Amino acid sequence: MPVRSPASRRQFLQLSGFSALAAAFGSAVANPSPVWAAPRFSANPFTLGVASGEPLPDGVVLWTRLAPDPLRLDGTGGMPEMQVPVSWQVSEDPSMRKVVRAGAAHAQPQLGHSVHVEVGGLRPDRQYYYRFRAGETLSPIGRTRTAAAPGAALNSFSFAFASCQNYPAGFYTAHKHMSQEDLDLVVFLGDYIYEGGGQGTIGRGWAPAKEATTLADYRVRHAQVKTDADLQASHGAFPWLVTFDDHEVDNNWAGEDSDPNTPVDQFLVRRAEAFQAYYENMPLRLAQRPEGSKLSLHRRRTFGDLVDFYMLDTRQYRDDQTGSESGRLDPARTILGNEQEDWLRKSLAGPTARWNTLAQQVVFSQRDFQVGPEQGLNEDSWDNYPVARDRMSAYFAELGAGKNPVIVTGDVHMNYVCDIRTDFNNPAAPVVGTELVGTSITSGGDDTGNPAGDARQLEENPHIRFINRERGYVRNTITPSEWTADFRVVDYVTRPGAPVRTRASFVIEEGKPGAEPSL
């Protein structure tokens, strides 16, 4: 987790060569603002902490955003309309004495005074430490890790995945515990913020106290979440891979359609501003910088010979949800979009790591909530796009068990373990993969339980192996022979301090799709 810097400003200047490097980094945007060459802040500009992400074998993205007044409602974070020089260092040790890379960038007002440094020249599969300086102020020190080189033999890889952190619903205790795990990576599957104006009952109401619709609103939402010390600890401890779901923009949005139905041109303006704020506040590469209302998030990240991650986007390219059976079964309907689906199929068909992880937002496996022959399905999940789902399941079968597909999912504020079958309505259909669904960090508040409803789900859906409604995250340990998923839960979130425990563990054997309880 991030620690405070022990070094002095003079040491930092000597190590980074700031005065020589600052002039070498020009503006990343057209019509740059004037430079505030010697900034003096009214308060600490690093209130939002530091983060890293998108690890490659030779580097990572380092992120921070200057915001001495993070909840200022105009979205500026209390910063002037000027670009600010920010220097950075990467070291092999937490005392920052073995600096191996250093440089400078400019925090631009056009990007919310965020900084996305794409550091290269690092060694594969190595732990590093990093920090920033703006004016006289040093940031906390973050810890990160590069990916192992493609094809490099890995004996083990550990990551956690999480989603759905509604700020008014609870404290981010799960992030505190996650930051103390021994992980190589965190994968966040969406609903990093929520767009609504709810105030909750625990003193953590959203700012502004209304639905977020503008760039300023979304910037404040992201800043409010980032002020949480437990979330900062999780960001500062590991590199992250991220994708969004619906609440980063609007509830249940689909492609160019929003909920409720808003004129397309109006929604695309809102989507563009939400995407802009999302990029500003995530450790993403320049390749993911939005172009208006478009943001390309589907990408592949490889960790040695052991695991590939395919970060998917099930929002931006999907057809609108439908409530009709004929519409649901339309073979032309898509949730990934033709281009993304084609990219995924081709990627899986080529050389891959031993385990292939599809990291995405909404539940892939069928969930029938209605007892009897009639079906009650969720319209916002893959259940509303069954032809596209069957096509993907059939492709898993065509690829064979050696690809070891595992889907990791968020969204529903519940833990599930599911066998992926080529036909979910036939309990005898072949199992071709595994889906692990993680619960929320806070969304839904304290667990209220629904044993009768869970029993009905298990009876109607024999491919579902496990259901749990507590808050938390999923810790995964991958080896060449097996994948172990530990469902880590906290007992409450409406007050801080809950301990963490493993509610259940499941194991997937290499070459054998489907999960079994760990003995």
mmCIF file of all heavy atoms in Angstrom, residues 458-489:
data_model
loop_
_atom_site.group_PDB
_atom_site.id
_atom_site.type_symbol
_atom_site.label_atom_id
_atom_site.label_comp_id
_atom_site.label_asym_id
_atom_site.label_seq_id
_atom_site.Cartn_x
_atom_site.Cartn_y
_atom_site.Cartn_z
ATOM 1 N N LEU A 458 -30.805 -22.103 -7.353
ATOM 2 C CA LEU A 458 -30.006 -23.314 -7.486
ATOM 3 C C LEU A 458 -30.834 -24.457 -8.078
ATOM 4 O O LEU A 458 -30.332 -25.263 -8.879
ATOM 5 C CB LEU A 458 -29.435 -23.718 -6.122
ATOM 6 C CG LEU A 458 -28.354 -22.791 -5.563
ATOM 7 C CD1 LEU A 458 -28.058 -23.141 -4.105
ATOM 8 C CD2 LEU A 458 -27.087 -22.865 -6.394
ATOM 9 N N GLU A 459 -32.110 -24.528 -7.716
ATOM 10 C CA GLU A 459 -32.972 -25.584 -8.239
ATOM 11 C C GLU A 459 -33.256 -25.385 -9.721
ATOM 12 O O GLU A 459 -33.257 -26.345 -10.507
ATOM 13 C CB GLU A 459 -34.284 -25.617 -7.449
ATOM 14 C CG GLU A 459 -35.228 -26.718 -7.892
ATOM 15 C CD GLU A 459 -36.500 -26.749 -7.058
ATOM 16 O OE1 GLU A 459 -36.593 -25.994 -6.075
ATOM 17 O OE2 GLU A 459 -37.406 -27.536 -7.406
ATOM 18 N N GLU A 460 -33.499 -24.147 -10.117
ATOM 19 C CA GLU A 460 -33.839 -23.865 -11.510
ATOM 20 C C GLU A 460 -32.609 -23.816 -12.412
ATOM 21 O O GLU A 460 -32.739 -23.920 -13.635
ATOM 22 C CB GLU A 460 -34.575 -22.515 -11.607
ATOM 23 C CG GLU A 460 -35.964 -22.517 -11.016
ATOM 24 C CD GLU A 460 -36.902 -23.441 -11.789
ATOM 25 O OE1 GLU A 460 -36.914 -23.382 -13.036
ATOM 26 O OE2 GLU A 460 -37.604 -24.233 -11.139
ATOM 27 N N ASN A 461 -31.440 -23.656 -11.837
ATOM 28 C CA ASN A 461 -30.214 -23.462 -12.616
ATOM 29 C C ASN A 461 -29.139 -24.421 -12.114
ATOM 30 O O ASN A 461 -28.244 -24.037 -11.362
ATOM 31 C CB ASN A 461 -29.718 -22.018 -12.488
ATOM 32 C CG ASN A 461 -30.752 -20.993 -12.894
ATOM 33 O OD1 ASN A 461 -30.881 -20.666 -14.065
ATOM 34 N ND2 ASN A 461 -31.498 -20.475 -11.915
ATOM 35 N N PRO A 462 -29.181 -25.688 -12.503
ATOM 36 C CA PRO A 462 -28.229 -26.662 -11.961
ATOM 37 C C PRO A 462 -26.779 -26.389 -12.331
ATOM 38 O O PRO A 462 -25.873 -26.963 -11.719
ATOM 39 C CB PRO A 462 -28.708 -27.990 -12.555
ATOM 40 C CG PRO A 462 -29.576 -27.628 -13.709
ATOM 41 C CD PRO A 462 -30.202 -26.317 -13.362
ATOM 42 N N HIS A 463 -26.541 -25.515 -13.301
ATOM 43 C CA HIS A 463 -25.168 -25.146 -13.648
ATOM 44 C C HIS A 463 -24.574 -24.152 -12.659
ATOM 45 O O HIS A 463 -23.371 -23.895 -12.691
ATOM 46 C CB HIS A 463 -25.126 -24.553 -15.053
ATOM 47 C CG HIS A 463 -26.079 -23.410 -15.238
ATOM 48 N ND1 HIS A 463 -27.404 -23.603 -15.573
ATOM 49 C CD2 HIS A 463 -25.916 -22.077 -15.105
ATOM 50 C CE1 HIS A 463 -28.012 -22.432 -15.653
ATOM 51 N NE2 HIS A 463 -27.130 -21.485 -15.364
ATOM 52 N N ILE A 464 -25.400 -23.558 -11.774
ATOM 53 C CA ILE A 464 -24.903 -22.658 -10.740
ATOM 54 C C ILE A 464 -24.475 -23.496 -9.542
ATOM 55 O O ILE A 464 -25.271 -24.230 -8.964
ATOM 56 C CB ILE A 464 -25.960 -21.617 -10.333
ATOM 57 C CG1 ILE A 464 -26.300 -20.714 -11.526
ATOM 58 C CG2 ILE A 464 -25.456 -20.761 -9.169
ATOM 59 C CD1 ILE A 464 -27.375 -19.673 -11.227
ATOM 60 N N ARG A 465 -23.216 -23.362 -9.148
ATOM 61 C CA ARG A 465 -22.655 -24.206 -8.089
ATOM 62 C C ARG A 465 -22.616 -23.514 -6.737
ATOM 63 O O ARG A 465 -22.473 -24.173 -5.706
ATOM 64 C CB ARG A 465 -21.237 -24.627 -8.476
ATOM 65 C CG ARG A 465 -21.094 -25.215 -9.882
ATOM 66 C CD ARG A 465 -21.864 -26.526 -10.013
ATOM 67 N NE ARG A 465 -21.444 -27.496 -9.010
ATOM 68 C CZ ARG A 465 -20.353 -28.263 -9.135
ATOM 69 N NH1 ARG A 465 -19.588 -28.175 -10.212
ATOM 70 N NH2 ARG A 465 -20.040 -29.120 -8.197
ATOM 71 N N PHE A 466 -22.722 -22.181 -6.724
ATOM 72 C CA PHE A 466 -22.538 -21.445 -5.468
ATOM 73 C C PHE A 466 -23.187 -20.082 -5.604
ATOM 74 O O PHE A 466 -23.101 -19.431 -6.661
ATOM 75 C CB PHE A 466 -21.046 -21.285 -5.189
ATOM 76 C CG PHE A 466 -20.700 -20.385 -4.018
ATOM 77 C CD1 PHE A 466 -21.003 -20.754 -2.719
ATOM 78 C CD2 PHE A 466 -20.056 -19.172 -4.220
ATOM 79 C CE1 PHE A 466 -20.680 -19.935 -1.638
ATOM 80 C CE2 PHE A 466 -19.719 -18.346 -3.162
ATOM 81 C CZ PHE A 466 -20.033 -18.726 -1.863
ATOM 82 N N ILE A 467 -23.860 -19.642 -4.536
ATOM 83 C CA ILE A 467 -24.456 -18.309 -4.465
ATOM 84 C C ILE A 467 -24.149 -17.726 -3.089
ATOM 85 O O ILE A 467 -24.238 -18.423 -2.075
ATOM 86 C CB ILE A 467 -25.985 -18.334 -4.665
ATOM 87 C CG1 ILE A 467 -26.355 -18.915 -6.029
ATOM 88 C CG2 ILE A 467 -26.571 -16.937 -4.514
ATOM 89 C CD1 ILE A 467 -27.862 -19.047 -6.229
ATOM 90 N N ASN A 468 -23.798 -16.446 -3.057
ATOM 91 C CA ASN A 468 -23.542 -15.769 -1.781
ATOM 92 C C ASN A 468 -23.803 -14.288 -1.971
ATOM 93 O O ASN A 468 -23.513 -13.714 -3.025
ATOM 94 C CB ASN A 468 -22.106 -16.010 -1.336
ATOM 95 C CG ASN A 468 -21.688 -15.129 -0.180
ATOM 96 O OD1 ASN A 468 -21.005 -14.140 -0.383
ATOM 97 N ND2 ASN A 468 -22.104 -15.467 1.030
ATOM 98 N N ARG A 469 -24.337 -13.619 -0.939
ATOM 99 C CA ARG A 469 -24.761 -12.227 -1.062
ATOM 100 C C ARG A 469 -23.952 -11.248 -0.204
ATOM 101 O O ARG A 469 -24.340 -10.089 -0.071
ATOM 102 C CB ARG A 469 -26.244 -12.104 -0.695
ATOM 103 C CG ARG A 469 -27.165 -12.849 -1.628
ATOM 104 C CD ARG A 469 -28.609 -12.837 -1.166
ATOM 105 N NE ARG A 469 -29.468 -13.589 -2.067
ATOM 106 C CZ ARG A 469 -30.126 -13.068 -3.106
ATOM 107 N NH1 ARG A 469 -30.046 -11.761 -3.348
ATOM 108 N NH2 ARG A 469 -30.868 -13.831 -3.889
ATOM 109 N N GLU A 470 -22.870 -11.670 0.387
ATOM 110 C CA GLU A 470 -22.070 -10.754 1.190
ATOM 111 C C GLU A 470 -21.196 -9.865 0.306
ATOM 112 O O GLU A 470 -21.012 -10.125 -0.875
ATOM 113 C CB GLU A 470 -21.215 -11.550 2.172
ATOM 114 C CG GLU A 470 -22.050 -12.243 3.246
ATOM 115 C CD GLU A 470 -21.290 -13.353 3.944
ATOM 116 O OE1 GLU A 470 -21.028 -14.386 3.310
ATOM 117 O OE2 GLU A 470 -20.977 -13.184 5.135
ATOM 118 N N ARG A 471 -20.647 -8.812 0.888
ATOM 119 C CA ARG A 471 -19.776 -7.884 0.155
ATOM 120 C C ARG A 471 -18.341 -8.399 0.177
ATOM 121 O O ARG A 471 -17.948 -9.158 1.061
ATOM 122 C CB ARG A 471 -19.823 -6.495 0.790
ATOM 123 C CG ARG A 471 -21.222 -5.930 1.027
ATOM 124 C CD ARG A 471 -21.849 -5.381 -0.235
ATOM 125 N NE ARG A 471 -22.345 -6.387 -1.135
ATOM 126 C CZ ARG A 471 -23.561 -6.949 -1.031
ATOM 127 N NH1 ARG A 471 -24.373 -6.624 -0.048
ATOM 128 N NH2 ARG A 471 -23.951 -7.851 -1.916
ATOM 129 N N GLY A 472 -17.514 -7.948 -0.798
ATOM 130 C CA GLY A 472 -16.114 -8.343 -0.791
ATOM 131 C C GLY A 472 -15.489 -8.362 -2.166
ATOM 132 O O GLY A 472 -15.824 -7.544 -3.029
ATOM 133 N N TYR A 473 -14.626 -9.345 -2.407
ATOM 134 C CA TYR A 473 -13.885 -9.466 -3.659
ATOM 135 C C TYR A 473 -13.482 -10.926 -3.822
ATOM 136 O O TYR A 473 -13.639 -11.746 -2.905
ATOM 137 C CB TYR A 473 -12.645 -8.560 -3.669
ATOM 138 C CG TYR A 473 -11.708 -8.767 -2.497
ATOM 139 C CD1 TYR A 473 -10.622 -9.641 -2.568
ATOM 140 C CD2 TYR A 473 -11.917 -8.091 -1.287
ATOM 141 C CE1 TYR A 473 -9.770 -9.838 -1.486
ATOM 142 C CE2 TYR A 473 -11.075 -8.277 -0.196
ATOM 143 C CZ TYR A 473 -10.006 -9.150 -0.308
ATOM 144 O OH TYR A 473 -9.164 -9.339 0.765
ATOM 145 N N VAL A 474 -12.949 -11.268 -4.992
ATOM 146 C CA VAL A 474 -12.528 -12.641 -5.256
ATOM 147 C C VAL A 474 -11.018 -12.656 -5.479
ATOM 148 O O VAL A 474 -10.505 -11.951 -6.346
ATOM 149 C CB VAL A 474 -13.253 -13.228 -6.488
ATOM 150 C CG1 VAL A 474 -12.862 -14.696 -6.664
ATOM 151 C CG2 VAL A 474 -14.762 -13.098 -6.337
ATOM 152 N N ARG A 475 -10.327 -13.448 -4.672
ATOM 153 C CA ARG A 475 -8.881 -13.620 -4.791
ATOM 154 C C ARG A 475 -8.606 -14.917 -5.564
ATOM 155 O O ARG A 475 -9.168 -15.961 -5.258
ATOM 156 C CB ARG A 475 -8.253 -13.709 -3.401
ATOM 157 C CG ARG A 475 -6.731 -13.881 -3.387
ATOM 158 C CD ARG A 475 -6.243 -14.016 -1.957
ATOM 159 N NE ARG A 475 -6.734 -15.247 -1.323
ATOM 160 C CZ ARG A 475 -6.717 -15.452 -0.003
ATOM 161 N NH1 ARG A 475 -6.245 -14.529 0.817
ATOM 162 N NH2 ARG A 475 -7.167 -16.593 0.501
ATOM 163 N N ASN A 476 -7.738 -14.806 -6.564
ATOM 164 C CA ASN A 476 -7.483 -15.937 -7.456
ATOM 165 C C ASN A 476 -5.995 -16.260 -7.484
ATOM 166 O O ASN A 476 -5.164 -15.363 -7.667
ATOM 167 C CB ASN A 476 -7.951 -15.611 -8.865
ATOM 168 C CG ASN A 476 -9.409 -15.208 -8.913
ATOM 169 O OD1 ASN A 476 -10.280 -16.036 -9.067
ATOM 170 N ND2 ASN A 476 -9.670 -13.909 -8.744
ATOM 171 N N THR A 477 -5.681 -17.531 -7.325
ATOM 172 C CA THR A 477 -4.305 -18.008 -7.425
ATOM 173 C C THR A 477 -4.248 -19.018 -8.564
ATOM 174 O O THR A 477 -4.941 -20.046 -8.527
ATOM 175 C CB THR A 477 -3.844 -18.646 -6.114
ATOM 176 O OG1 THR A 477 -3.983 -17.699 -5.047
ATOM 177 C CG2 THR A 477 -2.381 -19.068 -6.218
ATOM 178 N N ILE A 478 -3.422 -18.718 -9.569
ATOM 179 C CA ILE A 478 -3.359 -19.536 -10.774
ATOM 180 C C ILE A 478 -1.991 -20.206 -10.842
ATOM 181 O O ILE A 478 -0.952 -19.554 -10.676
ATOM 182 C CB ILE A 478 -3.579 -18.671 -12.026
ATOM 183 C CG1 ILE A 478 -4.887 -17.888 -11.920
ATOM 184 C CG2 ILE A 478 -3.573 -19.529 -13.280
ATOM 185 C CD1 ILE A 478 -5.073 -16.868 -13.022
ATOM 186 N N THR A 479 -1.987 -21.499 -11.080
ATOM 187 C CA THR A 479 -0.764 -22.258 -11.335
ATOM 188 C C THR A 479 -0.946 -22.998 -12.656
ATOM 189 O O THR A 479 -2.053 -23.024 -13.212
ATOM 190 C CB THR A 479 -0.475 -23.264 -10.209
ATOM 191 O OG1 THR A 479 -1.434 -24.329 -10.287
ATOM 192 C CG2 THR A 479 -0.530 -22.605 -8.830
ATOM 193 N N PRO A 480 0.098 -23.621 -13.189
ATOM 194 C CA PRO A 480 -0.095 -24.389 -14.421
ATOM 195 C C PRO A 480 -1.122 -25.501 -14.302
ATOM 196 O O PRO A 480 -1.733 -25.885 -15.306
ATOM 197 C CB PRO A 480 1.308 -24.951 -14.691
ATOM 198 C CG PRO A 480 2.243 -23.958 -14.080
ATOM 199 C CD PRO A 480 1.531 -23.502 -12.839
ATOM 200 N N SER A 481 -1.360 -26.016 -13.108
ATOM 201 C CA SER A 481 -2.255 -27.163 -12.961
ATOM 202 C C SER A 481 -3.654 -26.813 -12.462
ATOM 203 O O SER A 481 -4.586 -27.600 -12.663
ATOM 204 C CB SER A 481 -1.645 -28.195 -12.001
ATOM 205 O OG SER A 481 -1.456 -27.626 -10.711
ATOM 206 N N GLU A 482 -3.839 -25.631 -11.816
ATOM 207 C CA GLU A 482 -5.164 -25.324 -11.294
ATOM 208 C C GLU A 482 -5.324 -23.835 -11.014
ATOM 209 O O GLU A 482 -4.357 -23.090 -10.883
ATOM 210 C CB GLU A 482 -5.448 -26.113 -10.015
ATOM 211 C CG GLU A 482 -4.542 -25.797 -8.849
ATOM 212 C CD GLU A 482 -4.837 -26.656 -7.625
ATOM 213 O OE1 GLU A 482 -5.337 -27.793 -7.799
ATOM 214 O OE2 GLU A 482 -4.565 -26.194 -6.497
ATOM 215 N N TRP A 483 -6.601 -23.452 -10.912
ATOM 216 C CA TRP A 483 -7.012 -22.083 -10.580
ATOM 217 C C TRP A 483 -7.834 -22.178 -9.311
ATOM 218 O O TRP A 483 -8.841 -22.883 -9.272
ATOM 219 C CB TRP A 483 -7.833 -21.520 -11.729
ATOM 220 C CG TRP A 483 -8.479 -20.177 -11.536
ATOM 221 C CD1 TRP A 483 -9.172 -19.724 -10.463
ATOM 222 C CD2 TRP A 483 -8.513 -19.112 -12.509
ATOM 223 N NE1 TRP A 483 -9.638 -18.447 -10.674
ATOM 224 C CE2 TRP A 483 -9.251 -18.054 -11.927
ATOM 225 C CE3 TRP A 483 -7.996 -18.964 -13.791
ATOM 226 C CZ2 TRP A 483 -9.488 -16.849 -12.613
ATOM 227 C CZ3 TRP A 483 -8.235 -17.778 -14.466
ATOM 228 C CH2 TRP A 483 -8.955 -16.731 -13.877
ATOM 229 N N THR A 484 -7.422 -21.469 -8.260
ATOM 230 C CA THR A 484 -8.169 -21.446 -7.007
ATOM 231 C C THR A 484 -8.791 -20.075 -6.810
ATOM 232 O O THR A 484 -8.093 -19.061 -6.837
ATOM 233 C CB THR A 484 -7.266 -21.775 -5.806
ATOM 234 O OG1 THR A 484 -6.666 -23.057 -6.002
ATOM 235 C CG2 THR A 484 -8.063 -21.779 -4.508
ATOM 236 N N ALA A 485 -10.110 -20.038 -6.637
ATOM 237 C CA ALA A 485 -10.849 -18.793 -6.404
ATOM 238 C C ALA A 485 -11.341 -18.772 -4.965
ATOM 239 O O ALA A 485 -12.116 -19.649 -4.557
ATOM 240 C CB ALA A 485 -12.026 -18.678 -7.367
ATOM 241 N N ASP A 486 -10.877 -17.788 -4.198
ATOM 242 C CA ASP A 486 -11.303 -17.604 -2.815
ATOM 243 C C ASP A 486 -12.264 -16.426 -2.756
ATOM 244 O O ASP A 486 -11.899 -15.298 -3.106
ATOM 245 C CB ASP A 486 -10.104 -17.321 -1.911
ATOM 246 C CG ASP A 486 -9.100 -18.460 -1.892
ATOM 247 O OD1 ASP A 486 -9.526 -19.617 -1.856
ATOM 248 O OD2 ASP A 486 -7.879 -18.178 -1.932
ATOM 249 N N PHE A 487 -13.482 -16.679 -2.300
ATOM 250 C CA PHE A 487 -14.480 -15.629 -2.193
ATOM 251 C C PHE A 487 -14.318 -14.964 -0.821
ATOM 252 O O PHE A 487 -14.731 -15.507 0.203
ATOM 253 C CB PHE A 487 -15.883 -16.201 -2.400
ATOM 254 C CG PHE A 487 -16.119 -16.623 -3.821
ATOM 255 C CD1 PHE A 487 -15.702 -17.868 -4.272
ATOM 256 C CD2 PHE A 487 -16.728 -15.766 -4.717
ATOM 257 C CE1 PHE A 487 -15.890 -18.248 -5.588
ATOM 258 C CE2 PHE A 487 -16.927 -16.135 -6.041
ATOM 259 C CZ PHE A 487 -16.501 -17.380 -6.483
ATOM 260 N N ARG A 488 -13.676 -13.804 -0.826
ATOM 261 C CA ARG A 488 -13.328 -13.078 0.391
ATOM 262 C C ARG A 488 -14.453 -12.092 0.720
ATOM 263 O O ARG A 488 -14.816 -11.255 -0.109
ATOM 264 C CB ARG A 488 -12.009 -12.341 0.190
ATOM 265 C CG ARG A 488 -10.861 -13.257 -0.225
ATOM 266 C CD ARG A 488 -10.266 -13.972 0.967
ATOM 267 N NE ARG A 488 -9.355 -13.083 1.692
ATOM 268 C CZ ARG A 488 -8.909 -13.320 2.910
ATOM 269 N NH1 ARG A 488 -9.311 -14.386 3.580
ATOM 270 N NH2 ARG A 488 -8.059 -12.483 3.478
ATOM 271 N N VAL A 489 -15.004 -12.175 1.917
ATOM 272 C CA VAL A 489 -16.181 -11.381 2.264
ATOM 273 C C VAL A 489 -15.978 -10.659 3.595
ATOM 274 O O VAL A 489 -15.197 -11.095 4.453
ATOM 275 C CB VAL A 489 -17.455 -12.258 2.334
ATOM 276 C CG1 VAL A 489 -17.715 -12.952 0.999
ATOM 277 C CG2 VAL A 489 -17.363 -13.282 3.453
#
